[in-house]
């Protein structure tokens, strides 16, 4: 992976993409919750999980922490824009 990718994400040169994953109760087939994740588009145009960078212990801890906070911010911004029917509290 490109060494400067994390720096580019933190500088908003590579955007984070919010992703929602439903969590279903397989017995009742009801939606129980939603998991909110953030992805990024890599240099090859492929959407990738930000977890790849968050768990890369070769990257500086301060930058990984900054990315974690940026992911949380993206998630909260996404939640704030959801209509009530899609609310995480629904």
């Amino acid at each position: 992976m490109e060494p400067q990718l994390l720096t580019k994400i933190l500088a908003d040169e590579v955007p984070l993409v919010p992703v929602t994953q439903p969590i279903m109760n397989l017995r009742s087939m009801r939606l129980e919750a939603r998991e909110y994740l953030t992805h990024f588009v890599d240099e090859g145009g492929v959407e990738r999980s930000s977890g790849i960078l968050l768990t890369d212990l070769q990257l500086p801890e301060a930058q990984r922490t900054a990315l974690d906070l940026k992911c949380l911010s993206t998630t909260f911004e996404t939640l704030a824009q959801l209509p009530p029917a899609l609310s995480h509290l629904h």
Side-chain angles (χ1 to χ4, degrees):
M1 188 166 298
E2 181 183 335
Q4 291 82 16
L5 180 60
L6 181 54
T7 302
K8 289 180 179 182
I9 292 171
L10 294 176
D12 292 325
E13 295 173 21
V14 174
L16 290 175
V17 179
V19 179
T20 304
Q21 180 170 312
I23 299 173
M24 303 292 292
N25 179 321
L26 295 178
R27 290 181 187 209
S28 67
M29 295 307 291
R30 291 178 44 114
L31 177 67
E32 294 290 328
R34 290 179 181 86
E35 180 179 23
Y36 292 87
L37 308 166
T38 50
H39 289 181
F40 64 91
V41 179
D42 71 13
E43 55 276 0
V46 177
E47 193 171 297
R48 311 270 311 257
S49 169
S50 58
I52 294 168
L53 297 171
L54 292 169
T55 58
D56 185 346
L57 299 179
Q58 294 182 6
L59 295 172
E61 184 177 351
Q63 284 188 319
R64 285 186 288 124
T65 299
L67 175 61
D68 201 14
L69 293 173
K70 190 168 189 68
C71 290
L72 286 170
S73 176
T74 299
T75 298
F76 290 132
E77 288 170 8
T78 301
L79 288 172
Q81 295 174 15
L82 290 178
L86 295 177
S87 168
H88 64 292
L89 300 176
H90 187 267

